[in-house]
Amino acid sequence: FRFKDSLAEELRRADLVISHAGAGSCLETLEKGKPLVVVINEKLMNNHQLELAKRLHRGGHVFYCNCSTLVETLQAMDLSTLKPFPPGQPEKFASFLDKVVGFQ
């Protein structure tokens, strides 16, 4: 897709998601429990996509590659090795923030 307001329906129906390594795209996919292959954009300065992809891969949550290695990655990957992404805990952040600003 070039642009779509929401991918919720596509994510719900997907067996596998191949996406760029944007944080929103990665987290939305992982929160839905879908296997994910992230394709990094190597042309970005200070390549935050690569950093995120490596971190999620180290945790066992995604596979990552670049455009030139996508086919090889798809052929070699074993989806059964992926680990579920743990759910967020916004209450911990809220509690931390309350302490920082002196509400607790």
Side-chain angles (χ1 to χ4, degrees), residues 1-92:
F1 303 98
R2 282 183 100 26
F3 177 78
K4 194 165 187 179
D5 287 333
S6 173
L7 294 176
E9 180 60 24
E10 285 76 11
L11 286 174
R12 187 188 66 72
R13 293 183 298 160
D15 294 321
L16 171 69
V17 175
I18 301 172
S19 175
H20 75 127
S25 299
C26 290
L27 293 176
E28 185 176 5
T29 301
L30 292 171
E31 286 171 352
K32 299 281 190 270
K34 300 297 180 167
L36 176 61
V37 175
V38 291
V39 181
I40 57 168
N41 181 348
E42 296 174 302
K43 296 178 182 177
L44 293 176
M45 292 179 57
N46 301 323
N47 199 341
H48 63 281
Q49 287 194 6
L50 178 58
E51 292 174 29
L52 177 61
K54 283 183 175 181
R55 177 73 176 191
L56 291 172
H57 179 74
R58 276 196 307 267
H61 306 296
V62 305
F63 294 103
Y64 77 97
C65 61
N66 57 39
C67 288
S68 63
T69 60
L70 176 59
V71 172
E72 177 184 325
T73 300
L74 292 172
Q75 291 171 337
M77 69 183 184
D78 178 357
L79 295 179
S80 70
T81 64
L82 291 177
K83 298 176 184 174
F85 191 72
Q89 297 177 325
E91 65 281 352
K92 285 188 175 183

Side-chain angles (χ1 to χ4, degrees), residues 89-98:
Q89 297 177 325
E91 65 281 352
K92 285 188 175 183
F93 178 72
S95 177
F96 168 77
L97 194 56
D98 284 348

Side-chain angles (χ1 to χ4, degrees), residues 95-104:
S95 177
F96 168 77
L97 194 56
D98 284 348
K99 287 178 186 175
V100 168
V101 297
F103 291 143
Q104 283 186 343

